[in-house]
Amino acid sequence: MTSHALGQIAKAIAADEASAENIAYANACMQRLVRIYNQHKAGNDFKTKLYEGKLGPKDCNLRIAVPRELEDIGVSCEWPAIAVRSLQSRSKIQEIKNPDGELKASFNRIAKENDLIYKYDKAVIPELKHGCAFGTLALGDNERARIKFHTASSSAAEWDGEHDRLACGFAIIDSAKFNRDRSYKPSVVNLYLPDAIWVYRRIDATHWTAEEHPHKMGRCLMVPMCFRPDEERPFGISRISKSVVYLTKAAIRAYLRFEVAAELYAAPQRVGLNLDDDTLDALDGNFKAYFGYWLAMAASDEEQEGDTRAPEPKIFQLDPPTFQPHVDVLRSLAEAFSASTGVPLSELGVRYDNPSSAEAIAMAKESICKEAESLNETNGRAISELILMAHLMNEDRSWSELTEQERDISVKFRNPSTPSIASQADAMVKIASVLDGFSYTRSFLEAMGFDADEVDTIQSELKSANVSGDRKSTRLNSSHI
């Protein structure tokens, strides 16, 4: 999508009389948001290029050790994608919690209706790539709240520092081709304001209409998910930092030098000295396929005429360059990348001769697990806010009408250290052996690897079994009276 694809949207006309009163304010907000979107588009596109492994030697070769002619070698580096996916894989929603059973059921119904766990899993990747992603709400065809996620490549927002939330934001909802356009352009864009959603629709290549849909929430129906937000950068920072960019470029150059060294190793240079014309012709004829790897020096005319003092012809092979310096450079870069991102070296392809102990493996994961815990905390708040707003929309209420019981919502994530089921089960059994009754609790069953539905089924069956056991015991006792 080109940066001018939204150029005329801030000049939209009202779709009806009801929208005409506030169209000027909506267009002013949209104009500011388009400016923000365009300012960040180039940077977001570059990070996407890095994530997809499309950065090549032409983008980073210094042209000192490797000439320009060899830049077409298809070398790429997946480290930025590994940095993103390694953290994303440690941020998995387990369930939505609330002390009130009825509210918990309502919140989990909203999560199921919107396939929230699956959508969240996909949304974390663009969040880490660009620094933020956005969740939005709207009423669906069944008049129930619908949650959707958007990347920074298809949305933008403005922060309200006074109220510590979004002031406004937009998201591209649909795209289409107009007239003879070769590429798709935004055709439907939603503008989110604290009191309304404005739906902008493209009429043709340059003209838009806007329709106002008021709501009573009292805040934008748009929630940001941000990686490492702070007071100066409320929308967070990208996981693909400047350090990641530099180390990725350095790794591509190292891989390129490694590839060239491998070619020279497979076809080492051979040298022939004092060769006569007949020998040169034989080399050119019988070894034509390999003649380019020869450095041949012909004998002088006097030497070829049979001068007894002429040196004898010599043929020898130059020693090929060793790979070890290239391997050492790549390992050093991988270690620096691991230190910068917390990604364990094993995930970057670095292996050591001696296998690591369990303690060493756990220590290697400690940094990224702490990062995942921080990510889960901030994203948990965003998901909670989305679910609460969906709950209020379904009941036609405003944010100010939230009760304390409803606010007591939390999102439980899976353990970011991703222990194996066997080790987790072993730990739980050991705890249950010293804590009476723990093996019958919901926490024990969840820690054993059962999902929420399986836990409900198991607890129901255990309850039925206990009731049946009590009845049987009562009958046995009665027979002895």
Side-chain angles (χ1 to χ4, degrees):
M1 187 190 303
T2 57
S3 60
H4 61 270
L6 295 167
Q8 301 297 318
I9 192 171
K11 298 179 180 179
I13 59 173
D16 50 43
E17 291 184 5
S19 306
E21 183 178 352
N22 299 318
I23 186 66
Y25 176 73
N27 281 347
C29 292
M30 180 62 80
Q31 187 173 17
R32 295 198 308 271
L33 292 169
V34 170
R35 190 181 302 118
I36 293 170
Y37 176 81
N38 290 337
Q39 286 172 351
H40 292 86
K41 187 178 186 307
N44 289 335
D45 289 347
F46 177 69
K47 287 162 188 171
T48 299
K49 183 178 179 179
L50 272 168
Y51 175 82
E52 294 175 352
K54 294 181 179 179
L55 200 72
K58 289 184 178 179
D59 301 303
C60 49
N61 185 24
L62 300 179
R63 295 169 186 165
I64 297 174
V66 180
R68 184 194 301 266
E69 290 76 15
L70 297 178
E71 290 178 354
D72 289 330
I73 297 175
V75 175
S76 65
C77 182
E78 295 289 330
W79 287 0
I82 292 172
V84 169
R85 291 197 299 263
S86 182
L87 187 53
Q88 179 260 350
S89 65
R90 290 172 167 82
S91 182
K92 303 291 184 182
I93 295 177
Q94 185 168 331
E95 66 169 328
I96 314 300
K97 305 188 76 174
N98 187 281
D100 184 274
E102 188 176 340
L103 282 175
K104 180 180 177 181
S106 174
F107 294 159
N108 279 282
R109 180 189 174 190
I110 291 170
K112 277 190 175 181
E113 285 176 343
N114 289 278
D115 204 4
L116 192 60
I117 293 177
Y118 172 70
K119 288 180 179 178
Y120 170 81
D121 198 42
K122 293 194 301 180
V124 175
I125 290 178
E127 174 195 1
L128 296 175
K129 272 196 304 184
H130 303 137
C132 64
F134 299 93
T136 61
L137 296 108
L139 285 177
D141 296 334
N142 59 354
E143 294 300 315
R144 287 186 62 83
R146 186 180 73 250
I147 298 173
K148 189 175 181 180
F149 290 94
H150 306 270
T151 72
S153 296
S154 62
S155 56
E158 191 175 57
W159 189 253
D160 180 357
E162 181 181 355
H163 299 97
D164 201 26
R165 60 174 184 255
L166 293 188
C168 58
F170 82 73
I172 297 171
I173 305 301
D174 199 6
S175 298
K177 289 184 178 181
F178 293 87
N179 298 337
R180 297 181 180 179
D181 290 341
R182 295 183 178 180
S183 60
Y184 284 87
K185 289 184 177 180
S187 58
V188 180
V189 178
N190 283 358
L191 171 66
Y192 299 92
L193 298 177
D195 58 353
I197 296 178
W198 285 79
V199 180
Y200 283 70
R201 299 184 186 276
R202 188 190 290 266
I203 303 172
D204 53 36
T206 57
H207 296 89
W208 294 77
T209 62
E211 184 179 1
E212 184 181 18
H213 297 269
H215 62 74
K216 59 191 298 184
M217 188 60 63
R219 57 173 58 202
C220 297
L221 298 179
M222 185 178 194
V223 179
M225 292 197 315
C226 308
F227 176 60
R228 289 188 193 171
D230 56 34
E231 291 299 322
E232 293 183 356
R233 292 167 293 190
F235 290 111
I237 60 174
S238 172
R239 174 82 166 151
I240 304 175
S241 61
K242 290 183 179 180
S243 173
V244 169
V245 174
Y246 165 74
L247 291 169
T248 301
K249 288 183 175 181
I252 290 174
R253 290 194 291 268
Y255 279 120
L256 181 62
R257 293 191 296 269
F258 190 95
E259 187 74 21
V260 173
E263 289 296 313
L264 293 175
Y265 187 88
Q269 294 289 321
R270 298 171 179 85
V271 179
L273 299 177
N274 307 310
L275 305 181
D276 56 31
D277 291 338
D278 293 336
T279 307
L280 288 172
D281 291 339
L283 286 173
D284 193 17
N286 298 329
F287 300 95
K288 192 174 185 65
Y290 300 97
F291 195 65
Y293 306 128
W294 284 84
L295 176 62
M297 298 182 64
S300 65
D301 293 340
E302 292 80 4
E303 291 169 346
Q304 295 192 35
E305 288 174 1
D307 190 339
T308 57
R309 294 172 298 173
E312 294 181 359
K314 293 181 180 179
I315 295 178
F316 58 91
Q317 179 174 295
L318 296 176
D319 291 334
T322 177
F323 287 127
Q324 195 57 44
H326 303 289
V327 173
D328 292 341
V329 168
L330 279 170
R331 177 164 293 186
S332 297
L333 291 172
E335 289 172 350
F337 191 90
S338 177
S340 176
T341 61
V343 176
L345 276 173
S346 59
E347 295 185 25
L348 299 173
V350 176
R351 298 289 187 272
Y352 293 97
D353 296 334
N354 298 323
S356 301
S357 63
E359 291 78 8
I361 293 172
M363 189 174 294
K365 291 182 178 180
E366 184 178 3
S367 176
I368 197 167
C369 286
K370 288 182 178 178
E371 191 78 86
E373 288 172 359
S374 175
L375 175 69
N376 291 344
E377 183 179 353
T378 55
N379 282 359
R381 292 183 179 184
I383 296 298
S384 297
E385 187 174 343
L386 281 170
I387 291 175
L388 284 176
M389 284 202 285
H391 174 69
L392 293 171
M393 288 177 67
N394 292 337
E395 298 188 353
D396 193 26
R397 295 159 57 203
S398 67
W399 185 265
S400 59
E401 297 177 81
L402 269 177
T403 65
E404 287 301 317
Q405 205 166 23
E406 288 171 329
R407 292 178 187 272
D408 194 11
I409 180 177
S410 62
V411 181
K412 184 177 181 181
F413 289 83
R414 297 190 183 276
N415 189 342
S417 64
T418 60
S420 67
I421 294 177
S423 62
Q424 183 78 353
D426 182 58
M428 289 300 105
V429 169
K430 288 178 179 177
I431 294 173
S433 66
V434 296
L435 190 62
D436 258 357
F438 179 62
S439 59
Y440 297 100
T441 64
R442 189 179 189 90
S443 299
F444 175 83
L445 294 172
E446 288 174 350
M448 293 290 281
F450 298 106
D451 60 33
D453 291 336
E454 291 171 333
V455 170
D456 291 336
T457 302
I458 292 170
Q459 288 188 325
S460 176
E461 290 176 352
L462 286 173
K463 186 177 180 181
S464 300
N466 288 337
V467 170
S468 300
D470 291 342
R471 287 175 179 172
K472 184 177 180 181
S473 176
T474 302
R475 288 197 300 270
L476 287 172
N477 292 333
S478 300
S479 64
H480 292 289
I481 296 176

